[in-house]
Amino acid sequence: MKNIIEFKDVSKYFGSLKVLDGLNLEVGAGEKLALIGPSGSGKTTILRILMTLETIESGLITVEGKPLWHEKVNETLVPASEAHLQKMRQIIGMVFQQFNLFPHLTALSNIEQPQILVRKVTKEEAREKAANLMDLVGLEDKKDHYPHQLSGGQQQRVAIARALAMDPKIMLFDEVTSALDPELVDEVLSVLKKIATTTDTTMLTVTHEMNFAREFADRILFFDKGQIVEQGLPEGIFTNPKEPRTRGFLKKYITGLT
Amino acid sequence: MEWDWNVVASVTPSLLNGLIVTVQATIVGAVLAYVLGLVIAILKMSGNKAVAFITYWSSEFIRRTPLLVQLYFLFYVLPDFGIFLSPFVAGVIGLGLHFSTYTSEVYRAGIENVPKGQWEAARSLNYSAYHTWRFVILPQAIPPMFPPLANYLITMFKETPLLSAITVVELFNAANIYSNSHYKYLEPMTLVGLFFLLVSIPAAMIALKIENKYKPLN
Ligand SMILES: Nc1ncnc2c1ncn2[C@@H]1O[C@H](COP(=O)(O)OP(=O)(O)O)[C@@H](O)[C@H]1O
Ligand SMILES: [Mg+2]
């Protein structure tokens, strides 16, 4: 499997706080990753760096073999220009904890507009794709609703559809069910599972839903203090974690683990 | 003190002329305040630190000093520097400049109140800077600006009697001139209050309508 994402010795600071500490990570094309770990361990930061919402201080990230935060000028790597970042962003999409739908647009328009503005497709094409995606996420009857007229779970499904409409090869999901009432969590997670089983999109998911992570992911990464403490197949991590920190963390979520 | 309808009849024509000047000064002043406010807001957000700094402190200075002093400056001090403005022009510049420091805050707040997540969503969908402003930020920032902008219009309307200090014959000054020459104060000043009410009550009702119409979503 070819790597679609590579982190090489990546560090990230907020002021004097070291949030990522020499991180190395390789993600194969089409792989489904679940990132777990205590709050503040840097999981969100990793996704935000990939989405180009945060810069890095040192190290190198490549996406599809091309440096993400750098570009080559006369054979030397220099910090990426906005034009380069725009090119790289075409490969990546993100879904946020707080949905971040555009409140002044209907659900359907939320999905149409970025296609028209960014991918320059025709109105008809954008509308058809938006409608299909609304079907996919089970909201065919909510097309003309505004975000504030939808439940959190429905809003999040629209946000997922909006990200999908851009055809990203990599999708980032940052605790997409954490802001939802418990009874609305499953409808969103089942959409994620559907995408995972029906597409070859590479997916990085930060989640606290361990049952979901186990079903969904090819590989689990356990983070603590800006480092990957342990990683492996879901079976191994969830039934027999090797690191005491992983075990300590998972005990809160998995009954029977001692 | 007896209410004298003859005084009412004889003062009303000049009061109506004054009311027209008051409305004109309000409207021209408000347009100036809205446009200048936008310029100030943009300069304050400027990437150029010196420009942002100078704009910030100039507008603080204007906002923290009385409009009356500014009007005196424009009309009585500027001529010393060779700049002669008519009373009306000095008046609307004063009004517009003074209130532009308030409207600039309305613009700034409107933009800053758009959640950070909206900028990030636009960026993650690969919107250009222009598309982000045009299709994401401004459509959310502008509607909540209407109610405070409408309220400043009403405030400016009520501040226009200050223009009498630089000899503009607006509604209050028209009454004042009549009163001083006829030694009649009850009827002219009562009528001034009434005329202000007649305009500002419907205006306040319209402003309330605007406020309800542009209530933020969510
Ligand atoms: N914009 C920011 N400014 C300062 N510190 C931040 C910022 N964003 C995140 N942090 C800090 O970075 C650390 C990692 O945060 P984050 O990546 O959000 O962790 P996680 O998603 O695992 O909970 C935390 O200590 C957090 O407080
Ligand atoms: Mg997080």
Side-chain angles (χ1 to χ4, degrees):
Chain A
M1 199 159 39
K2 218 174 105 237
N3 287 334
I4 191 166
I5 303 172
E6 292 184 1
F7 280 62
K8 289 185 197 123
D9 205 18
V10 171
S11 294
K12 164 78 189 167
Y13 293 81
F14 285 116
S16 59
L17 177 71
K18 196 172 205 174
V19 180
L20 295 184
D21 189 4
L23 182 75
N24 288 291
L25 172 63
E26 296 179 350
V27 183
E31 214 183 345
K32 322 294 178 203
L33 292 193
L35 285 64
I36 63 171
S39 155
S41 56
K43 308 180 297 295
T44 295
T45 303
I46 290 171
L47 300 195
R48 289 174 58 83
I49 288 171
L50 279 169
M51 195 63 257
T52 71
L53 298 172
E54 303 283 358
T55 56
I56 57 174
E57 269 71 48
S58 65
L60 186 70
I61 299 171
T62 57
V63 171
E64 287 196 314
K66 292 183 286 279
L68 177 68
W69 274 106
H70 302 82
E71 58 188 313
K72 268 212 175 97
V73 175
N74 305 327
E75 292 308 301
T76 51
L77 285 179
V78 299
S81 64
E82 182 58 29
H84 175 78
L85 292 176
Q86 251 178 45
K87 226 175 268 150
M88 298 306 288
R89 255 183 240 129
Q90 292 171 5
I91 310 170
I92 307 166
M94 180 160 177
V95 182
F96 301 87
Q97 188 174 338
Q98 297 298 337
F99 330 137
N100 295 346
L101 287 178
F102 301 141
H104 55 298
L105 301 179
T106 62
L108 200 70
S109 301
N110 261 280
I111 308 173
E112 273 171 17
Q113 189 184 73
Q115 298 182 64
I116 297 167
L117 295 180
V118 180
R119 295 185 53 235
K120 314 284 184 204
V121 304
T122 63
K123 262 203 165 88
E124 292 69 39
E125 206 179 316
R127 170 142 305 202
E128 193 185 329
K129 184 161 193 173
N132 288 340
L133 285 165
M134 286 293 276
D135 286 350
L136 177 81
V137 298
L139 293 171
E140 48 283 344
D141 55 339
K142 304 283 186 212
K143 292 191 180 86
D144 297 322
H145 286 56
Y146 284 88
H148 71 274
Q149 298 168 318
L150 299 173
S151 74
Q154 292 168 336
Q155 288 187 58
Q156 194 57 293
R157 286 186 278 158
V158 175
I160 293 169
R162 181 175 70 172
L164 280 174
M166 307 303 279
D167 289 334
K169 294 194 185 140
I170 301 166
M171 291 265 277
L172 311 170
F173 299 90
D174 188 14
E175 295 197 32
V176 291
T177 59
S178 291
L180 301 179
D181 293 335
E183 71 272 19
L184 302 177
V185 167
D186 281 341
E187 62 186 56
V188 172
L189 293 183
S190 64
V191 168
L192 291 197
K193 284 186 236 167
K194 191 145 107 189
I195 302 168
T197 50
T198 57
T199 72
D200 54 7
T201 314
T202 306
M203 296 168 78
L204 275 67
T205 309
V206 174
T207 185
H208 290 295
E209 302 286 337
M210 297 305 155
N211 289 329
F212 163 75
R214 189 172 188 160
E215 247 185 275
F216 160 90
D218 302 323
R219 177 159 53 124
I220 307 285
L221 304 176
F222 174 71
F223 279 85
D224 194 20
K225 302 195 171 73
Q227 290 177 314
I228 300 171
V229 174
E230 184 169 357
Q231 57 175 310
L233 298 174
E235 272 315 302
I237 300 274
F238 287 126
T239 54
N240 189 22
K242 300 205 168 47
E243 296 292 327
R245 277 194 273 174
T246 317
R247 187 172 287 268
F249 173 77
L250 286 175
K251 264 197 283 196
K252 283 177 288 178
Y253 295 92
I254 299 173
T255 47
L257 199 67
T258 49
Chain B
M1 199 73 166
E2 281 279 306
W3 180 266
D4 185 345
W5 286 104
N6 292 325
V7 173
V8 172
S10 74
V11 75
T12 296
S14 55
L15 290 189
L16 286 175
N17 282 333
L19 182 61
I20 290 170
V21 174
T22 290
V23 170
Q24 285 171 337
T26 306
I27 290 172
V28 179
V31 170
L32 212 61
Y34 293 159
V35 175
L36 273 177
L38 192 58
V39 174
I40 294 175
I42 291 168
L43 290 181
K44 267 195 203 167
M45 290 188 276
S46 156
N48 186 327
K49 284 263 150 46
V51 170
F53 181 87
I54 292 168
T55 315
Y56 175 81
W57 283 108
S58 320
S59 93
E60 276 303 287
F61 176 74
I62 293 169
R63 187 148 59 125
R64 307 276 174 220
T65 49
L67 174 56
L68 186 59
V69 177
Q70 290 156 16
L71 291 171
Y72 262 71
F73 188 88
L74 287 166
F75 189 63
Y76 294 112
V77 179
L78 282 189
D80 292 347
F81 298 93
I83 300 168
F84 296 87
L85 302 172
S86 76
F88 184 82
V89 170
V92 294
I93 289 178
L95 263 181
L97 192 62
H98 188 81
F99 279 91
S100 68
T101 63
Y102 291 91
T103 58
S104 73
E105 284 301 295
V106 173
Y107 298 128
R108 192 191 53 77
I111 288 164
E112 282 183 0
N113 283 342
V114 177
K116 192 166 138 264
Q118 294 292 309
W119 293 92
E120 294 184 344
R123 191 164 159 93
S124 73
L125 293 164
N126 219 354
Y127 279 33
S128 66
Y130 169 74
H131 284 153
T132 302
W133 280 102
R134 168 69 185 77
F135 294 103
V136 180
I137 304 306
L138 291 181
Q140 296 179 62
I142 289 174
M145 293 174 186
F146 288 141
L149 290 180
N151 281 321
Y152 279 125
L153 184 71
I154 295 172
T155 306
M156 289 173 75
F157 175 67
K158 286 191 298 188
E159 292 294 321
T160 50
L162 286 173
L163 269 54
S164 65
I166 56 168
T167 76
V168 176
V169 187
E170 42 62 65
L171 178 56
F172 167 77
N173 206 10
N176 203 31
I177 289 166
Y178 182 94
S179 298
N180 287 338
S181 54
H182 294 77
Y183 305 103
K184 292 281 185 193
Y185 291 91
L186 176 66
E187 298 82 359
M189 289 306 154
T190 306
L191 287 173
V192 167
L194 202 65
F195 281 0
F196 268 106
L197 269 183
L198 279 179
V199 177
S200 57
I201 286 180
M205 277 157 64
I206 294 169
L208 199 67
K209 271 228 171 76
I210 293 175
E211 200 154 341
N212 287 329
K213 176 155 179 202
Y214 294 107
K215 259 211 234 59
L217 303 167
N218 308 335

